[in-house]
Amino acid sequence: MQFLKSTILTISFITAGIFMQPCFGQNKIYVSNSGSDENDGTFKYPVQHLATALSKASGYVNNNVVVILRGGVYPQQKTMELNQGNFKERSLTITSYPKEKATITGSAKVNPVWQPYKGNIIKAKVAIDFAPDQLFINGKSLPMARYPNFDSTVRVYNGTAKDAISESRVKTWQAPAGGYIHALHSGEWGSFDYLITGKDDKGILTYEGGWQNNRPSAMNKQYRFVENIFEELDAPGEWFYNKTTQTLYLYPPTVTDLKKAVFTMSGLTDLIHISGSKEKPLSNITIKGINFTQTARSFMLAKEPLLRSDWRMYRGGAILIDRTEHITISNCSFYELGGNAVFVSNYSKNDTIRENYIHTIGGNAIAFVGSPNAARSPAFSYETFVPWDKMDYQPGPKNSDYPQYCVATGNLIHHIGTIEKQVAGVQVSMSSHITISHNTIYHTPRAGLNMSEGTWGGHIIEFNDVFNTVLETGDNGAYNSWGRDRYWLPERNVIDSIVAARPGIQFLDVIDPVTIRNNRFQCDHGWDIDLDDGSSNYLIYNNVCLSGGLKLREGYSRTVTNNIIINNTFHPHVWLKNSNDIFEYNIVSLPYAPILMNNWGKSIDHNYFLTKDALAAAQSLGLDKNSNYGDAQFIDAKGGDYHLKPGSPALKSGFKDFDMHFGVTSIVLKKLAQKPAINPLVTSTNQGKQNQVEWLGARFKNIESLGERSAAGLHDDNGALLTDLPPSSLAAKNGLEKGDVVIKINEDSVNSVEELLRIYQKIKWMGKAELIIMHNQVPKTIHVNFNK
């Protein structure tokens, strides 16, 4: 999960050249590493530090000021504060000089003089006045001494082990205080982090933490690892710092010239705070064309619960924007950060986060999070609620202390959550009318876009490209939301009775609809669109779902129209009475996958199915009386172009073609952005042509001959025969062997490769399944983990 920095340095230079134009404001202050803080800040006589420039800028009362950073690295010893006390300008712009790369970093350079220690390990005295959290060599983060060792090919945490904190292993640690335990939630709903405090008098490991997830549980038994333990310093690239002796130990990385290497250590989590007040918000500040990197990790600071979602967060990041108006962060690069990149907090109005490149960070890329004090009758955990006789039934927020009418657009975001797993490319909580558009987001451990609750709606999510999501956790989606608002309880029958008694209570918080339109979503380990636990008041149209389908759990007034669901289906789960839900004019690949459905909403009809069986299954439920099926006639399904050819029968059924310009729009970021993998379209109408499919990284085919039946020990042609098994595939890791035939998944029989994929799409969100296979002509039951 480490990302090459040579590319980034080049990109930052190009970004400055293409995006930046010279800033010729009336008041310019120049900053250069070769300057002096005694200078006046002119082009010829620049100051040396950004803090000095900002101090000078505050002297230009009610004027427009531009602070220009010449190329170079600007380490920060403490967080720079822009607040009412020092911001006196009418407007302030902080930018880099055209075609020069300016980098603000939270690390300090160290110059170790290496000496041999033991074996391959070397050591050096490094006297620093902060506790180092990350060590970088030539800009690349190195792993702390850890068990198991870092492995870039391993899905979760780049390596986990059941025995990470076993009694036998703990006995080998002489002084583990200061180490960390990292583990997934037992349900794989995010992660937990713990600081090791030592051992008790019986030698049992002691630690504190585990507050990072708002759904308490034990640690996951498998997915856990430890770091910052001296005795685990045993692999190239690992390091350990002894604070008592001020000694840095290093197992040198391979192919690295230590004599020429540049070492830096981070201890600062936040670089810039832009902070106003509710009475006097800061406004008209722009930061553009700057690189931000090498901050300390903030996972132990993530304590704040966000109402009843599964999240707890740290309200900070490389840039914190708090109680502001008209703040713009544009064309910047954020990389090798320990925590969040940009955090927009409390009252913030008309702020814009535009065309930034954010990757290889420990936390969230962009977060919009209001104050819980703005919520009426707030509850802060899944299990708690405000009694009905004490609830505030006034709709909407209590005050204006939340982000509103802000924008996150055109950002390229990938490889986030390198340590924290309850993160998103864009996270929204207690906010209203946030526009999230034209972002490309991929390689995330959990959701690409996350809506923590319904407060207070009005968001527009459009033209985003979100894929390779939920890679390290489970039961989530490329787009995920919860709706655990005032009205919601886990007991659905209670919700039914309360809404019947108090009509409109379900819309007290989500007062304006959330619109999801013209996006492309893909999630192979969950749903493409996952509206969970009470999510209500949604308009969902003109989206392409590539893999995980579309799920609506209990909620109200969700209108889902004109979407394309490829190789998956519609997942209605436990709907409420009189939900007013609508699912119409969508193109659907596979039969619906309902769970505990006793109520079917307002209308499910006029859809177009790609298979006859899918339509028949829907109609057997009493749905889709006016729906049809057939070849939708996509222009190029193999290449991922799902526009419809003129004369398509789907168009005649009422479906309308729509704009599919997904993702970033800037020339530079488009060249960098990856695209989702397009899987072959699997339908019953093309099954005869496509007898083989890929599943769990292996190839399966239908049983087509008496010889194949005989070899497998089958009595009929039902099943999916494994024909090609790469050693690194999930199928191989789960114990499947070439020649095995999958005949059942959980309670569903597998009659063909199409059935294999259909069943998998229905249950893959569970993360695991029980398989019955024919192995060496004998039935055998095995358990597979889809995310192994």
Side-chain angles (χ1 to χ4, degrees), residues 286-399:
T286 296
I287 299 175
K288 60 182 179 179
I290 305 290
N291 292 339
F292 296 89
T293 189
Q294 296 187 17
T295 56
R297 300 175 302 173
S298 56
F299 56 84
M300 290 304 293
L301 302 176
K303 297 181 178 182
E304 181 185 349
L306 301 184
L307 299 185
R308 291 197 283 182
S309 79
D310 291 1
W311 285 54
R312 293 195 178 192
M313 290 189 71
Y314 168 58
R315 202 176 283 262
I319 298 179
L320 171 67
I321 303 169
D322 191 350
R323 298 190 172 110
T324 59
E325 294 178 348
H326 300 288
I327 306 298
T328 299
I329 311 297
S330 69
N331 311 127
C332 295
S333 290
F334 299 83
Y335 57 93
E336 286 288 6
L337 300 175
N340 305 319
V342 180
F343 200 110
V344 183
S345 173
N346 298 320
Y347 173 80
S348 295
K349 190 172 184 178
N350 296 317
D351 293 341
T352 299
I353 317 300
R354 182 179 63 240
E355 294 185 347
N356 301 284
Y357 187 17
I358 306 173
H359 68 89
T360 320
I361 65 173
N364 298 276
I366 302 169
F368 299 93
V369 180
S371 169
N373 292 327
R376 297 181 186 274
S377 299
F380 293 94
S381 67
Y382 180 91
E383 303 84 1
T384 62
F385 68 98
V386 177
W388 302 115
D389 61 345
K390 298 185 185 318
M391 183 173 289
D392 182 345
Y393 290 99
Q394 181 72 22
K398 189 162 53 176
N399 55 52

Side-chain angles (χ1 to χ4, degrees), residues 538-667:
Y538 271 81
L539 301 175
I540 303 174
Y541 59 91
N542 294 0
N543 300 285
V544 175
C545 296
L546 288 178
S547 176
L550 188 153
K551 167 192 160 188
L552 301 184
R553 195 175 165 88
E554 82 274 1
Y556 293 90
S557 292
R558 286 82 60 91
T559 298
V560 181
T561 59
N562 216 72
N563 301 281
I564 299 172
I565 303 177
I566 298 298
N567 291 347
N568 210 300
T569 190
F570 177 41
H571 297 256
H573 292 185
V574 294
W575 282 9
L576 300 163
K577 291 180 180 178
N578 303 313
S579 68
N580 206 38
D581 289 329
I582 296 172
F583 186 82
E584 292 185 336
Y585 299 104
N586 302 283
I587 294 177
V588 182
S589 297
L590 301 175
Y592 297 157
I595 293 180
L596 298 176
M597 287 291 291
N598 297 318
N599 307 287
W600 284 99
K602 184 176 180 179
S603 176
I604 300 179
D605 203 358
H606 303 288
N607 297 295
Y608 193 83
F609 293 84
L610 300 186
T611 73
K612 182 179 181 180
D613 291 344
L615 173 59
Q619 291 181 337
S620 70
L621 297 171
L623 311 171
D624 288 285
K625 294 181 179 179
N626 299 294
S627 297
N628 211 334
Y629 79 93
D631 183 355
Q633 297 183 17
F634 297 122
I635 286 180
D636 181 15
K638 185 176 181 180
D641 185 348
Y642 298 109
H643 287 293
L644 302 182
K645 297 176 182 178
S648 161
L651 294 173
K652 296 177 182 178
S653 293
F655 183 87
K656 296 179 180 179
D657 213 357
F658 57 86
D659 189 345
M660 299 185 188
H661 288 89
F662 311 117
V664 294
T665 56
S666 84
I667 295 173

Side-chain angles (χ1 to χ4, degrees), residues 27-79:
N27 302 287
K28 299 190 291 285
I29 302 172
Y30 290 86
V31 186
S32 172
N33 285 327
S34 61
S36 168
D37 288 340
E38 302 300 320
N39 289 340
D40 56 10
T42 62
F43 180 82
K44 189 174 182 180
Y45 299 105
V47 298
Q48 186 178 14
H49 295 101
L50 177 57
T52 303
L54 295 179
S55 178
K56 286 182 176 293
S58 66
Y60 290 97
V61 179
N62 293 326
N63 279 278
N64 302 316
V65 180
V66 180
V67 173
I68 303 169
L69 292 156
R70 300 301 304 270
V73 178
Y74 297 88
Q76 301 302 310
Q77 295 181 344
K78 64 179 182 178
T79 303

Side-chain angles (χ1 to χ4, degrees), residues 168-420:
S168 59
R169 181 161 292 277
V170 170
K171 285 181 178 179
T172 68
W173 303 337
Q174 183 177 352
Y180 296 109
I181 306 167
H182 305 284
L184 289 191
H185 187 282
S186 62
E188 300 182 14
W189 299 338
S191 59
F192 298 112
D193 307 283
Y194 304 84
L195 172 66
I196 297 173
T197 56
K199 299 182 186 180
D200 64 17
D201 54 5
K202 296 181 180 179
I204 303 300
L205 195 67
T206 58
Y207 46 87
E208 63 183 18
W211 46 65
Q212 295 83 0
N213 195 295
N214 209 32
R215 295 284 296 275
S217 85
M219 297 184 209
N220 191 288
K221 294 181 180 180
Q222 169 63 45
Y223 298 124
R224 54 174 70 175
F225 80 101
V226 293
E227 65 171 353
N228 206 30
I229 305 292
F230 181 67
E231 286 80 5
E232 303 298 348
L233 183 59
D234 59 359
E238 290 187 349
W239 65 279
F240 179 84
Y241 183 75
N242 187 312
K243 291 182 289 185
T244 302
T245 64
Q246 294 192 315
T247 304
L248 175 64
Y249 297 87
L250 175 70
Y251 195 126
T254 56
V255 197
T256 300
D257 187 344
L258 295 183
K259 294 181 180 179
K260 297 180 179 180
V262 176
F263 289 91
T264 51
M265 304 182 87
S266 67
L268 188 65
T269 60
D270 294 30
L271 297 176
I272 297 178
H273 284 181
I274 304 173
S275 305
S277 66
K278 288 190 291 184
E279 296 74 24
K280 189 178 180 181
L282 251 59
S283 62
N284 302 321
I285 297 174
T286 296
I287 299 175
K288 60 182 179 179
I290 305 290
N291 292 339
F292 296 89
T293 189
Q294 296 187 17
T295 56
R297 300 175 302 173
S298 56
F299 56 84
M300 290 304 293
L301 302 176
K303 297 181 178 182
E304 181 185 349
L306 301 184
L307 299 185
R308 291 197 283 182
S309 79
D310 291 1
W311 285 54
R312 293 195 178 192
M313 290 189 71
Y314 168 58
R315 202 176 283 262
I319 298 179
L320 171 67
I321 303 169
D322 191 350
R323 298 190 172 110
T324 59
E325 294 178 348
H326 300 288
I327 306 298
T328 299
I329 311 297
S330 69
N331 311 127
C332 295
S333 290
F334 299 83
Y335 57 93
E336 286 288 6
L337 300 175
N340 305 319
V342 180
F343 200 110
V344 183
S345 173
N346 298 320
Y347 173 80
S348 295
K349 190 172 184 178
N350 296 317
D351 293 341
T352 299
I353 317 300
R354 182 179 63 240
E355 294 185 347
N356 301 284
Y357 187 17
I358 306 173
H359 68 89
T360 320
I361 65 173
N364 298 276
I366 302 169
F368 299 93
V369 180
S371 169
N373 292 327
R376 297 181 186 274
S377 299
F380 293 94
S381 67
Y382 180 91
E383 303 84 1
T384 62
F385 68 98
V386 177
W388 302 115
D389 61 345
K390 298 185 185 318
M391 183 173 289
D392 182 345
Y393 290 99
Q394 181 72 22
K398 189 162 53 176
N399 55 52
S400 63
D401 203 12
Y402 57 90
Q404 49 200 275
Y405 299 98
C406 295
V407 176
T409 185
N411 301 284
L412 175 56
I413 298 167
H414 63 85
H415 288 80
I416 66 171
T418 56
I419 194 68
E420 301 175 50

Side-chain angles (χ1 to χ4, degrees), residues 408-470:
T409 185
N411 301 284
L412 175 56
I413 298 167
H414 63 85
H415 288 80
I416 66 171
T418 56
I419 194 68
E420 301 175 50
K421 303 308 175 185
Q422 193 72 279
V423 298
V426 183
Q427 153 72 349
V428 180
S429 175
M430 296 172 285
S431 303
S432 78
H433 297 88
I434 306 298
T435 296
I436 304 169
S437 66
H438 281 293
N439 302 286
T440 296
I441 303 171
Y442 56 89
H443 209 289
T444 67
R446 204 141 174 77
L449 300 174
N450 189 77
M451 200 71 58
S452 278
E453 72 288 310
T455 52
W456 285 278
H459 313 300
I460 296 177
I461 295 93
E462 62 181 2
F463 296 106
N464 299 286
D465 202 8
V466 186
F467 55 96
N468 287 354
T469 56
V470 196

